[in-house]
Amino acid sequence: MPQKNTFTRTLTIGKMPALLCLHLQRTVWLNSGTPLKRHDLVEFPELLHMDRYSLRRQTSSRRAGLQRSKLLLGGSAGESLASQASRSIPITSNIPLQPPPTPKRTRQVSLEENVYKLHAVIVHLGDVFSGHFITYRRAPNGRQWFFTSDSCVRRASLEEVLAASPYMIFYERLRAHSLEGNRPPCSSGKAA
């Protein structure tokens, strides 16, 4: 009689990039060979905390990350987020990228090294055979969002952006001083 084994597959990133691009595969192939576009609701946060996926931070936060994954996707504590996400998911399911936000504490947030701020979202309107791409992009001042299409540019709210059905999501890594709301001192070019 074959012996049943349990394995855990994890995904870690050795060096976090300055810009993080997430491409969501929205095309599935039916048994008949016909492609179909998935219209799943994908929840994504304005601030994405990636410490638990960092190779350097994995050991210290592994237990906490597994517990959050269990709560997030309903898996067992020994099953990683990556292995849970690789399972077949019904087309009508919600796929959150991050657990629901918890109240922010400046001290806790500022200690995290790999925090990313939402920078842009690309949305595909249409089906698998044709359609149109639109973009939501954060303004250079970091406070305003814009909706852009072929012949239209207008202001958008963060709520509109977070309610979009993303095809690609772009995040920019924040520095510790950005998280605390402080700016580094301006350099005059002279030694202090």
Side-chain angles (χ1 to χ4, degrees):
M1 182 168 210
Q3 182 181 357
K4 184 176 179 180
N5 294 315
T6 301
F7 297 94
T8 301
R9 185 174 104 188
T10 59
L11 171 69
T12 56
I13 301 171
K15 182 179 178 186
M16 292 291 182
L19 298 173
L20 182 64
C21 174
L22 303 173
H23 178 211
L24 304 173
Q25 181 61 8
R26 292 202 170 264
T27 303
V28 294
W29 295 88
L30 303 176
N31 289 337
S32 64
T34 305
L36 178 68
K37 180 179 175 184
R38 294 177 62 154
H39 294 277
D40 300 86
L41 171 64
V42 178
E43 296 174 344
F44 54 98
E46 181 180 18
L47 291 179
L48 182 63
H49 301 266
M50 295 292 291
D51 273 341
R52 68 180 175 197
Y53 302 106
S54 170
L55 184 61
R56 289 188 299 159
R57 305 280 290 203
Q58 180 191 24
T59 307
S60 63
S61 62
R62 180 171 165 72
R63 286 191 180 102
L66 288 174
Q67 290 304 317
R68 282 192 297 258
S69 298
K70 178 181 177 185
L71 293 173
L72 178 64
L73 295 175
S76 66
E79 186 176 20
S80 73
L81 182 61
S83 65
Q84 290 178 35
S86 67
R87 290 186 287 182
S88 176
I89 301 172
I91 291 178
T92 58
S93 69
N94 293 342
I95 308 171
L97 288 177
Q98 196 71 6
T102 55
K104 294 177 185 154
R105 291 176 284 186
T106 305
R107 177 173 285 174
Q108 179 184 4
V109 172
S110 66
L111 293 176
E112 294 186 47
E113 294 178 14
N114 300 303
V115 179
Y116 289 80
K117 190 169 188 177
L118 185 63
H119 188 70
V121 177
I122 297 176
V123 177
H124 179 261
L125 305 172
D127 61 25
V128 75
F129 299 107
S130 66
H132 179 71
F133 288 99
I134 61 157
T135 302
Y136 291 98
R137 187 185 188 294
R138 188 181 296 271
N141 68 13
R143 294 182 207 104
Q144 182 64 52
W145 281 91
F146 289 98
F147 165 96
T148 60
S149 187
D150 289 346
S151 61
C152 172
V153 176
R154 64 171 172 78
R155 290 179 187 254
S157 67
L158 176 61
E159 292 75 25
E160 180 182 350
V161 174
L162 295 176
S165 181
Y167 175 71
M168 295 182 82
I169 307 171
F170 297 87
Y171 284 94
E172 185 174 11
R173 187 174 181 182
L174 295 178
R175 307 238 186 272
H177 61 78
S178 299
L179 294 173
E180 297 168 359
N182 301 327
R183 298 219 178 259
C186 294
S187 173
S188 64
K190 298 176 184 176

